[in-house]
Amino acid sequence: MADPTIEQVKAMRTAVLGAAAKVPGALIGLGILFIVLGMIGVAGQTLFSFVSINVLGAFLILGGVLQGAHAMKSTGWKSVGVQVILAILYIAAGLYTWAFPIPALEVITLWLAAIFFVTGFLRLISAFQHRHFREWFWLVLSSAISVLMGVLIMNGYPETSLWLPGLLIAIELLLQGWSLLFLGLAAR
């Protein structure tokens, strides 16, 4: 089998990457930005946690205001009362995160631990359902790591709530940044 020509490689890139192939510089730039933000986040996890909780509070308040405005304009809709109550809850939750960021971070940290426990348990169920495949070990390993993450979070709770959300967001930014960077490099 012959190696593909340069034109065939370009056609494959365009087919696989779609519109992203047309703007590789934007992907590379965004990737570098995310990597830098992720590195800042890893260096200042506690600050990143507080910034994140304040941004979450702003989004909750904005979402509540928009939902309330929509509900007020939706006369005749049977769910207007429910939508107004939800809008008030969103705004109250946003104000709470601004007024009390440490308890809000503690709640998010508990939520993260619960997610790790639940996903670990569900992966274990999935592993046993697929135990006739040789690769089922990887599901068991993934399950064990998820449960271990939940245990580690709860072992250091509530102190972990000050830095863990910021660290996880920073890691996500790093991973997304590297993905975008390499996608942009592949699109060139």
Side-chain angles (χ1 to χ4, degrees):
M1 178 177 240
D3 289 336
T5 66
I6 293 175
E7 293 305 318
Q8 289 172 326
V9 170
K10 286 182 180 180
M12 284 189 286
R13 281 186 182 155
T14 302
V16 172
L17 298 174
K22 296 176 184 168
V23 288
L27 292 173
I28 292 169
L30 195 57
I32 291 170
L33 175 66
F34 280 13
I35 291 168
V36 169
L37 288 174
M39 291 183 344
I40 291 169
V42 168
Q45 301 155 6
T46 303
L47 176 65
F48 226 58
S49 290
F50 282 101
V51 168
S52 299
I53 201 70
N54 283 315
V55 169
L56 175 65
F59 281 137
L60 287 169
I61 292 169
L62 179 64
V65 168
L66 292 175
Q67 186 161 3
H70 177 263
M72 294 301 164
K73 292 186 177 205
S74 301
T75 56
W77 187 29
K78 290 183 180 182
S79 298
V80 169
V82 172
Q83 297 304 316
V84 169
I85 291 171
L86 288 172
I88 292 169
L89 287 174
Y90 273 108
I91 292 169
L95 292 173
Y96 180 83
T97 60
W98 278 355
F100 306 103
I102 292 175
L105 285 169
E106 289 173 351
V107 168
I108 287 173
T109 303
L110 286 175
W111 180 247
L112 288 169
I115 288 171
F116 280 119
F117 283 127
V118 169
T119 58
F121 177 71
L122 293 175
R123 285 187 186 126
L124 187 61
I125 291 171
S126 179
F128 282 107
Q129 290 174 338
H130 296 89
R131 68 184 174 275
H132 52 280
F133 295 113
R134 282 188 349 205
E135 293 82 4
W136 78 289
F137 166 77
W138 294 106
L139 286 170
V140 173
L141 182 62
S142 174
S143 168
I145 290 171
S146 289
V147 170
L148 179 63
M149 290 294 291
V151 168
L152 289 173
I153 291 169
M154 289 309 297
N155 190 38
Y157 183 81
E159 292 83 14
T160 54
S161 61
L162 293 177
W163 58 266
L164 184 71
L167 177 64
L168 292 177
I169 291 169
I171 290 170
E172 171 60 26
L173 285 169
L174 283 170
L175 293 173
Q176 184 65 15
W178 283 110
S179 298
L180 289 173
L181 176 65
F182 287 122
L183 185 63
L185 291 173
R188 286 195 315 168

